[in-house]
Amino acid sequence: MQDSLSKAFHEDGAVLVKGLLNQEQLARCEQAYDWALLNHGPHATRMFAGTTQQSHVDNANPLAKERLEALVAGLPLGELFARVWGSKNVWYFAEEVFLKAGGQGSRTLWHQDTSYLPWAGNHWGNAWISFDAVPKSNALEIVRGSHRGPRYDGTTFTDPDDPTLPLHGNGALPRLPDIEAERKANPEAFDILSWATEPGDVVLLHPGSLHGGAPVDASFPRRRTFVFRFFGDDATFQPLPAHSDAGYPQQGVLFTEELEPLSAGAPFRHPTFRKVV
């Protein structure tokens, strides 16, 4: 089974692992998630704030760093990524917190995490954990194989009517395709991966994959998701475009000072990232 997981992850960019977390592990994750919602970090945002499409997102909260490092050290995620990647070492990067609630909220716009973070290589992975049973119609969607390139410009996430509005601009990266518009014209335009999940299931996602979706609606009014991000031996630093229209430093907005000494193509390493394998 491990070989099939590894093959699927490397070829498709995402894979579902059923029942990875037991009840005790899931309860510890949920407790940490609840704490994170009440103790926002400096990178917390509300996408589309003030509209019915708003959602809460937080990344790499320094207030949560020690407790989350201790949490992930006791979860089977590091060992799983080591086997899936074939990596001798695994490091924990940081968390991402998602909350959509209220029974109305459109899909998260299609994007790649690598448009916002200076990552390259095969050994990157997001462990996507939801605390409720998620129907497929409300689940995360991934374009199969899109982690192999190209790296697109990110969307600004500021205009729900323009889902490809460039983040960096200046033509430094190709503009995102309007995936939803193309799917409306041709439902087979993209090869989409998506799974219904139960508590304890984990979706492993390469952050270079085009992904989005996971809306809420009247039948599924709340989605609570914790994402833990990891990297391994084949993880390198790929700077973001210089002179970004968004004012992004080439190191990104997370751990900017720690990553400043790295040059393009250098191994992605810094003592701030806890080694878990």
Side-chain angles (χ1 to χ4, degrees):
M1 185 179 77
Q2 191 60 52
D3 288 345
S4 65
L5 284 179
S6 180
K7 184 174 186 291
F9 184 87
H10 286 293
E11 292 183 359
D12 299 341
V15 67
L16 171 64
V17 185
K18 294 291 295 180
L20 179 66
L21 302 180
N22 62 35
Q23 289 186 351
E24 186 271 335
Q25 292 165 339
L26 193 63
R28 285 194 282 122
C29 289
E30 187 170 2
Q31 183 180 30
Y33 176 90
D34 291 341
W35 185 93
L37 287 180
L38 295 174
N39 297 273
H40 299 173
H43 304 293
T45 61
R46 294 247 173 185
M47 290 192 292
F48 308 137
T51 77
T52 59
Q53 302 180 40
Q54 72 178 10
S55 59
H56 173 79
V57 184
D58 200 357
N59 277 275
N61 181 355
L63 300 174
K65 189 175 189 300
E66 288 188 11
R67 70 175 60 218
L68 293 183
E69 286 176 345
L71 172 64
V72 299
L75 300 176
L77 299 171
E79 291 84 356
L80 178 62
F81 274 121
R83 295 193 299 269
V84 166
W85 292 330
S87 181
K88 182 179 179 181
N89 303 287
V90 176
W91 292 268
Y92 171 62
F93 178 80
E95 85 290 355
E96 189 164 21
V97 177
F98 289 109
L99 173 65
K100 288 185 179 180
Q104 52 183 335
S106 73
R107 39 181 312 121
T108 298
L109 302 183
W110 287 95
H111 65 286
Q112 296 161 300
D113 293 350
T114 47
S115 301
Y116 307 87
L117 295 162
W119 298 347
N122 292 315
H123 294 175
W124 286 97
N126 297 348
W128 178 279
I129 301 165
S130 293
F131 298 108
D132 307 285
V134 181
K136 187 172 181 179
S137 60
N138 302 100
L140 180 71
E141 294 187 316
I142 303 106
V143 176
R144 189 194 304 267
S146 54
H147 64 299
R148 297 194 293 267
R151 182 196 205 185
Y152 292 101
D153 201 335
T155 175
T156 63
F157 285 107
T158 59
D159 186 352
D161 297 319
D162 187 352
T164 70
L165 187 65
L167 176 75
H168 300 293
N170 298 318
L173 295 171
R175 187 164 179 157
L176 276 167
D178 191 341
I179 293 175
E180 286 308 290
E182 293 188 38
R183 290 175 78 186
K184 287 179 182 177
N186 174 16
E188 305 302 319
F190 295 90
D191 188 0
I192 303 295
L193 292 169
S194 183
W195 301 277
T197 58
E198 298 290 334
D201 297 348
V202 179
V203 174
L204 305 185
L205 168 73
H206 189 292
S209 300
L210 283 162
H211 59 285
V216 294
D217 53 31
S219 62
F220 183 70
R222 180 184 66 167
R223 179 173 65 81
R224 302 174 297 151
T225 301
F226 228 160
V227 179
F228 297 121
R229 292 164 156 167
F230 298 85
F231 61 95
D233 295 337
D234 182 16
T236 57
F237 177 78
Q238 183 174 350
L240 298 175
H243 313 297
S244 169
D245 286 349
Y248 266 50
Q250 290 189 277
Q251 296 80 18
V253 297
L254 305 180
F255 305 105
T256 303
E257 293 183 6
E258 290 86 345
L259 300 178
E260 191 169 0
L262 298 185
S263 57
F268 195 95
R269 306 285 188 272
H270 191 277
T272 196
F273 303 118
R274 177 165 176 165
K275 189 172 181 289
V276 293
V277 173

